[in-house]
Amino acid sequence: MMIKFQFNKTALGELGKQLTMRQKALPTIKSKESALRSEVKKAKDRVGELRAQLDKTMAEYDYMVQLWGEFDPSLITVKDVRFGTQKIAGVEIPVLEDIRYEEKPYNLFSAPLWIADGMRILKELARLGVESEFYRKKMELLEKARKKTTQKVNLYEKVQIPGYQEAIRKIKRFLEDEENLSKSSQKIVKSRLEAEAAI
């Protein structure tokens, strides 16, 4: 990254402030990246757990496949999924608060005996499906935030901090050279004046 600067003490001071700010911010950004990386892993693990649990639960009820033909799927639907928000390392992330179902009444006398169990099973399967999808989306949001944070860490570490250090080094060399030239020219003038005074 090319940093534009002038060869003077004002620019040197301004670049020094910018460098110090980035050096102080870098550890905070790194810890944010680490926290987000950890949260991404947790969400990914949770997605895996929920998918495995969903597959296991569905496998447990495979023996009822023939009975599901008698079941009216309109008896139960997911009515509402409520979310809240939570900040993780400065990033707002949704939190699954509640899943609400709408159950239609059915006749206990004319319906098969297993309908109540079927409603409970469907609620459980719906919950697992909704939670699994929620954690997958959460993982995507966290991963996106982590990538942006990683880019910022890399920008600071590999581009801006070295760029500011190089610019400061160039200005210091320039000012030192200018000071040395000034001293040299003063010595030359002084020696000429002494030589002329001696004549």
Side-chain angles (χ1 to χ4, degrees):
M1 177 180 136
M2 279 300 294
I3 297 172
K4 294 182 180 179
F5 58 90
Q6 295 176 346
F7 290 97
N8 57 39
K9 288 184 180 180
T10 307
L12 182 64
E14 185 58 37
L15 291 175
K17 285 179 191 173
Q18 293 291 330
L19 176 62
T20 303
M21 180 189 74
R22 280 162 177 76
Q23 287 173 329
K24 285 181 179 177
L26 189 59
T28 306
I29 297 169
K30 280 184 172 182
S31 66
K32 177 180 178 176
E33 180 197 22
S34 178
L36 288 171
R37 189 179 304 276
S38 171
E39 288 297 323
V40 167
K41 185 180 180 337
K42 284 180 194 174
K44 188 175 184 179
D45 292 347
R46 185 70 179 137
V47 167
E49 289 170 15
L50 288 166
R51 291 231 171 108
Q53 198 175 350
L54 182 63
D55 291 343
K56 181 183 171 200
T57 306
M58 288 182 77
E60 285 176 13
Y61 299 112
D62 270 351
Y63 70 92
M64 296 176 68
V65 168
Q66 293 169 345
L67 296 175
W68 288 112
E70 300 173 25
F71 190 81
D72 180 6
S74 68
L75 287 177
I76 184 168
T77 55
V78 175
K79 182 181 179 185
D80 188 25
V81 179
R82 301 185 83 193
F83 301 102
T85 57
Q86 168 189 9
K87 276 198 173 186
I88 297 174
V91 179
E92 278 202 9
I93 299 297
V95 176
L96 183 62
E97 290 182 344
D98 189 26
I99 302 170
R100 293 186 183 179
Y101 304 94
E102 184 176 339
E103 295 181 38
K104 290 184 180 170
Y106 57 92
N107 188 337
L108 291 169
F109 299 108
S110 63
L113 294 173
W114 60 271
I115 287 289
D117 284 338
M119 300 277 273
R120 182 187 51 75
I121 292 166
L122 283 179
K123 274 186 184 178
E124 177 65 12
L125 291 173
R127 182 191 65 79
L128 290 169
V130 167
E131 273 192 58
S132 175
E133 184 61 20
F134 167 77
Y135 276 99
R136 189 184 65 74
K137 287 283 188 192
K138 182 178 179 176
M139 181 183 67
E140 287 174 5
L141 287 171
L142 287 165
E143 183 62 26
K144 186 176 178 183
R146 186 204 58 80
K147 282 181 180 177
K148 283 179 80 173
T149 307
T150 301
Q151 287 173 344
K152 194 167 190 174
V153 166
N154 289 338
L155 176 68
Y156 276 25
E157 266 187 339
K158 297 176 181 170
V159 179
Q160 289 186 346
I161 290 175
Y164 281 113
Q165 288 171 334
E166 182 62 26
I168 289 169
R169 196 169 20 260
K170 285 179 181 178
I171 293 172
K172 283 182 177 176
R173 283 184 188 151
F174 177 82
L175 293 175
E176 285 172 4
D177 288 349
E178 199 173 67
E179 189 178 325
N180 290 340
L181 285 173
S182 175
K183 285 180 182 176
S184 298
S185 63
Q186 286 174 0
K187 284 182 182 178
I188 292 170
V189 168
K190 185 179 177 184
S191 62
R192 279 189 186 165
L193 289 175
E194 286 175 357
E196 287 177 10
I199 299 179

